[in-house]
Amino acid sequence: MTRGHDRLCWVAAGPVAGVALGAVDSVVDHVPVWLGEVGTARAERGAGSQVAEFASLILDAGWAWAAASVRSG
């Protein structure tokens, strides 16, 4: 019975990791909207908005998704 449970965990790991990465990416993408700095020039935005934009660029990169899929098995 333990073998089937272990296999099920590995089969579910990929989709769970993908959903988690997608959710984090979506939240980070919406930080400037929540801060009300969407139409503002980049130099006039606050630090939180700029950090979120940088994190969004990293999370939207293809290598981040590839790394998540390799990491999840």
mmCIF file of all heavy atoms in Angstrom, residues 18 21-22 24-26 28-29 52-69:
data_model
loop_
_atom_site.group_PDB
_atom_site.id
_atom_site.type_symbol
_atom_site.label_atom_id
_atom_site.label_comp_id
_atom_site.label_asym_id
_atom_site.label_seq_id
_atom_site.Cartn_x
_atom_site.Cartn_y
_atom_site.Cartn_z
ATOM 1 N N GLY A 18 3.162 23.490 -10.245
ATOM 2 C CA GLY A 18 2.766 24.427 -11.290
ATOM 3 C C GLY A 18 1.693 25.403 -10.827
ATOM 4 O O GLY A 18 1.758 26.601 -11.124
ATOM 5 N N LEU A 21 3.371 27.899 -8.363
ATOM 6 C CA LEU A 21 4.188 28.897 -9.049
ATOM 7 C C LEU A 21 3.303 29.887 -9.800
ATOM 8 O O LEU A 21 3.555 31.092 -9.786
ATOM 9 C CB LEU A 21 5.172 28.230 -10.004
ATOM 10 C CG LEU A 21 6.136 29.151 -10.740
ATOM 11 C CD1 LEU A 21 6.983 29.939 -9.752
ATOM 12 C CD2 LEU A 21 7.012 28.364 -11.682
ATOM 13 N N GLY A 22 2.250 29.396 -10.423
ATOM 14 C CA GLY A 22 1.325 30.286 -11.119
ATOM 15 C C GLY A 22 0.607 31.234 -10.172
ATOM 16 O O GLY A 22 0.396 32.406 -10.501
ATOM 17 N N VAL A 24 1.712 32.311 -7.181
ATOM 18 C CA VAL A 24 2.686 33.303 -6.703
ATOM 19 C C VAL A 24 2.963 34.330 -7.788
ATOM 20 O O VAL A 24 3.028 35.536 -7.530
ATOM 21 C CB VAL A 24 3.985 32.600 -6.239
ATOM 22 C CG1 VAL A 24 5.097 33.606 -6.003
ATOM 23 C CG2 VAL A 24 3.733 31.783 -4.998
ATOM 24 N N ASP A 25 3.110 33.869 -9.020
ATOM 25 C CA ASP A 25 3.358 34.769 -10.150
ATOM 26 C C ASP A 25 2.198 35.741 -10.339
ATOM 27 O O ASP A 25 2.398 36.934 -10.566
ATOM 28 C CB ASP A 25 3.576 33.940 -11.408
ATOM 29 C CG ASP A 25 3.985 34.775 -12.593
ATOM 30 O OD1 ASP A 25 4.549 35.866 -12.402
ATOM 31 O OD2 ASP A 25 3.757 34.329 -13.731
ATOM 32 N N SER A 26 0.990 35.264 -10.217
ATOM 33 C CA SER A 26 -0.180 36.122 -10.378
ATOM 34 C C SER A 26 -0.266 37.178 -9.275
ATOM 35 O O SER A 26 -0.584 38.344 -9.545
ATOM 36 C CB SER A 26 -1.451 35.271 -10.380
ATOM 37 O OG SER A 26 -2.579 36.073 -10.526
ATOM 38 N N VAL A 28 2.253 38.398 -7.520
ATOM 39 C CA VAL A 28 3.344 39.361 -7.719
ATOM 40 C C VAL A 28 3.018 40.315 -8.869
ATOM 41 O O VAL A 28 3.331 41.497 -8.807
ATOM 42 C CB VAL A 28 4.675 38.610 -7.968
ATOM 43 C CG1 VAL A 28 5.763 39.553 -8.441
ATOM 44 C CG2 VAL A 28 5.126 37.907 -6.697
ATOM 45 N N ASP A 29 2.377 39.817 -9.924
ATOM 46 C CA ASP A 29 2.004 40.670 -11.052
ATOM 47 C C ASP A 29 1.007 41.756 -10.653
ATOM 48 O O ASP A 29 0.963 42.812 -11.279
ATOM 49 C CB ASP A 29 1.400 39.832 -12.178
ATOM 50 C CG ASP A 29 2.447 39.079 -12.967
ATOM 51 O OD1 ASP A 29 3.635 39.436 -12.864
ATOM 52 O OD2 ASP A 29 2.081 38.133 -13.698
ATOM 53 N N ALA A 52 8.447 44.130 -6.835
ATOM 54 C CA ALA A 52 7.460 43.220 -7.405
ATOM 55 C C ALA A 52 7.644 43.098 -8.920
ATOM 56 O O ALA A 52 7.496 42.011 -9.475
ATOM 57 C CB ALA A 52 6.051 43.704 -7.088
ATOM 58 N N GLU A 53 7.973 44.198 -9.585
ATOM 59 C CA GLU A 53 8.202 44.142 -11.029
ATOM 60 C C GLU A 53 9.423 43.279 -11.353
ATOM 61 O O GLU A 53 9.406 42.492 -12.291
ATOM 62 C CB GLU A 53 8.394 45.544 -11.589
ATOM 63 C CG GLU A 53 8.559 45.561 -13.086
ATOM 64 C CD GLU A 53 8.717 46.953 -13.658
ATOM 65 O OE1 GLU A 53 8.646 47.932 -12.900
ATOM 66 O OE2 GLU A 53 8.914 47.051 -14.874
ATOM 67 N N PHE A 54 10.489 43.412 -10.571
ATOM 68 C CA PHE A 54 11.679 42.597 -10.773
ATOM 69 C C PHE A 54 11.370 41.113 -10.528
ATOM 70 O O PHE A 54 11.772 40.250 -11.303
ATOM 71 C CB PHE A 54 12.805 43.064 -9.846
ATOM 72 C CG PHE A 54 14.061 42.271 -9.989
ATOM 73 C CD1 PHE A 54 14.864 42.417 -11.103
ATOM 74 C CD2 PHE A 54 14.441 41.373 -9.007
ATOM 75 C CE1 PHE A 54 16.025 41.681 -11.236
ATOM 76 C CE2 PHE A 54 15.598 40.632 -9.137
ATOM 77 C CZ PHE A 54 16.399 40.790 -10.255
ATOM 78 N N ALA A 55 10.666 40.825 -9.459
ATOM 79 C CA ALA A 55 10.291 39.439 -9.162
ATOM 80 C C ALA A 55 9.387 38.875 -10.245
ATOM 81 O O ALA A 55 9.485 37.702 -10.606
ATOM 82 C CB ALA A 55 9.605 39.358 -7.803
ATOM 83 N N SER A 56 8.522 39.720 -10.797
ATOM 84 C CA SER A 56 7.641 39.282 -11.870
ATOM 85 C C SER A 56 8.428 38.902 -13.115
ATOM 86 O O SER A 56 8.100 37.925 -13.795
ATOM 87 C CB SER A 56 6.641 40.385 -12.203
ATOM 88 O OG SER A 56 5.868 40.035 -13.309
ATOM 89 N N LEU A 57 9.460 39.663 -13.423
ATOM 90 C CA LEU A 57 10.305 39.334 -14.575
ATOM 91 C C LEU A 57 10.995 37.989 -14.382
ATOM 92 O O LEU A 57 11.139 37.211 -15.324
ATOM 93 C CB LEU A 57 11.344 40.435 -14.797
ATOM 94 C CG LEU A 57 10.810 41.766 -15.292
ATOM 95 C CD1 LEU A 57 11.930 42.806 -15.318
ATOM 96 C CD2 LEU A 57 10.198 41.621 -16.669
ATOM 97 N N ILE A 58 11.411 37.705 -13.167
ATOM 98 C CA ILE A 58 12.071 36.426 -12.895
ATOM 99 C C ILE A 58 11.071 35.275 -12.953
ATOM 100 O O ILE A 58 11.323 34.234 -13.552
ATOM 101 C CB ILE A 58 12.782 36.468 -11.533
ATOM 102 C CG1 ILE A 58 13.971 37.421 -11.620
ATOM 103 C CG2 ILE A 58 13.236 35.084 -11.095
ATOM 104 C CD1 ILE A 58 14.654 37.666 -10.314
ATOM 105 N N LEU A 59 9.897 35.468 -12.341
ATOM 106 C CA LEU A 59 8.900 34.394 -12.298
ATOM 107 C C LEU A 59 8.267 34.127 -13.655
ATOM 108 O O LEU A 59 7.794 33.021 -13.909
ATOM 109 C CB LEU A 59 7.813 34.734 -11.279
ATOM 110 C CG LEU A 59 8.245 34.692 -9.823
ATOM 111 C CD1 LEU A 59 7.137 35.231 -8.944
ATOM 112 C CD2 LEU A 59 8.608 33.283 -9.421
ATOM 113 N N ASP A 60 8.236 35.127 -14.530
ATOM 114 C CA ASP A 60 7.646 34.934 -15.855
ATOM 115 C C ASP A 60 8.616 34.305 -16.851
ATOM 116 O O ASP A 60 8.225 33.963 -17.959
ATOM 117 C CB ASP A 60 7.156 36.276 -16.422
ATOM 118 C CG ASP A 60 5.906 36.766 -15.730
ATOM 119 O OD1 ASP A 60 5.212 35.942 -15.108
ATOM 120 O OD2 ASP A 60 5.615 37.970 -15.804
ATOM 121 N N ALA A 61 9.876 34.174 -16.478
ATOM 122 C CA ALA A 61 10.875 33.607 -17.376
ATOM 123 C C ALA A 61 10.637 32.106 -17.553
ATOM 124 O O ALA A 61 10.185 31.407 -16.642
ATOM 125 C CB ALA A 61 12.271 33.852 -16.823
ATOM 126 N N GLY A 62 10.958 31.630 -18.722
ATOM 127 C CA GLY A 62 10.766 30.208 -19.021
ATOM 128 C C GLY A 62 11.615 29.299 -18.165
ATOM 129 O O GLY A 62 11.213 28.186 -17.826
ATOM 130 N N TRP A 63 12.818 29.772 -17.795
ATOM 131 C CA TRP A 63 13.687 28.910 -17.004
ATOM 132 C C TRP A 63 13.119 28.666 -15.613
ATOM 133 O O TRP A 63 13.379 27.615 -15.012
ATOM 134 C CB TRP A 63 15.099 29.483 -16.914
ATOM 135 C CG TRP A 63 15.198 30.775 -16.172
ATOM 136 C CD1 TRP A 63 15.180 32.024 -16.697
ATOM 137 C CD2 TRP A 63 15.297 30.936 -14.752
ATOM 138 N NE1 TRP A 63 15.275 32.961 -15.705
ATOM 139 C CE2 TRP A 63 15.347 32.328 -14.492
ATOM 140 C CE3 TRP A 63 15.351 30.064 -13.677
ATOM 141 C CZ2 TRP A 63 15.444 32.844 -13.210
ATOM 142 C CZ3 TRP A 63 15.450 30.588 -12.397
ATOM 143 C CH2 TRP A 63 15.504 31.958 -12.174
ATOM 144 N N ALA A 64 12.339 29.607 -15.086
ATOM 145 C CA ALA A 64 11.740 29.386 -13.766
ATOM 146 C C ALA A 64 10.724 28.260 -13.821
ATOM 147 O O ALA A 64 10.665 27.416 -12.911
ATOM 148 C CB ALA A 64 11.087 30.674 -13.272
ATOM 149 N N TRP A 65 9.948 28.229 -14.889
ATOM 150 C CA TRP A 65 8.973 27.149 -15.055
ATOM 151 C C TRP A 65 9.652 25.828 -15.335
ATOM 152 O O TRP A 65 9.233 24.776 -14.836
ATOM 153 C CB TRP A 65 7.980 27.499 -16.152
ATOM 154 C CG TRP A 65 7.069 28.617 -15.739
ATOM 155 C CD1 TRP A 65 7.278 29.945 -15.907
ATOM 156 C CD2 TRP A 65 5.836 28.482 -15.033
ATOM 157 N NE1 TRP A 65 6.246 30.650 -15.360
ATOM 158 C CE2 TRP A 65 5.350 29.779 -14.824
ATOM 159 C CE3 TRP A 65 5.118 27.394 -14.560
ATOM 160 C CZ2 TRP A 65 4.151 30.024 -14.159
ATOM 161 C CZ3 TRP A 65 3.934 27.633 -13.912
ATOM 162 C CH2 TRP A 65 3.461 28.927 -13.709
ATOM 163 N N ALA A 66 10.732 25.855 -16.119
ATOM 164 C CA ALA A 66 11.474 24.627 -16.382
ATOM 165 C C ALA A 66 12.117 24.098 -15.118
ATOM 166 O O ALA A 66 12.117 22.887 -14.857
ATOM 167 C CB ALA A 66 12.530 24.877 -17.455
ATOM 168 N N ALA A 67 12.673 24.989 -14.309
ATOM 169 C CA ALA A 67 13.287 24.575 -13.051
ATOM 170 C C ALA A 67 12.257 23.975 -12.101
ATOM 171 O O ALA A 67 12.527 22.998 -11.406
ATOM 172 C CB ALA A 67 13.994 25.743 -12.390
ATOM 173 N N ALA A 68 11.061 24.552 -12.089
ATOM 174 C CA ALA A 68 9.999 24.016 -11.221
ATOM 175 C C ALA A 68 9.588 22.621 -11.665
ATOM 176 O O ALA A 68 9.353 21.741 -10.841
ATOM 177 C CB ALA A 68 8.793 24.952 -11.218
ATOM 178 N N SER A 69 9.517 22.414 -12.983
ATOM 179 C CA SER A 69 9.126 21.078 -13.452
ATOM 180 C C SER A 69 10.218 20.046 -13.196
ATOM 181 O O SER A 69 9.929 18.907 -12.830
ATOM 182 C CB SER A 69 8.775 21.133 -14.943
ATOM 183 O OG SER A 69 9.923 21.416 -15.707
#
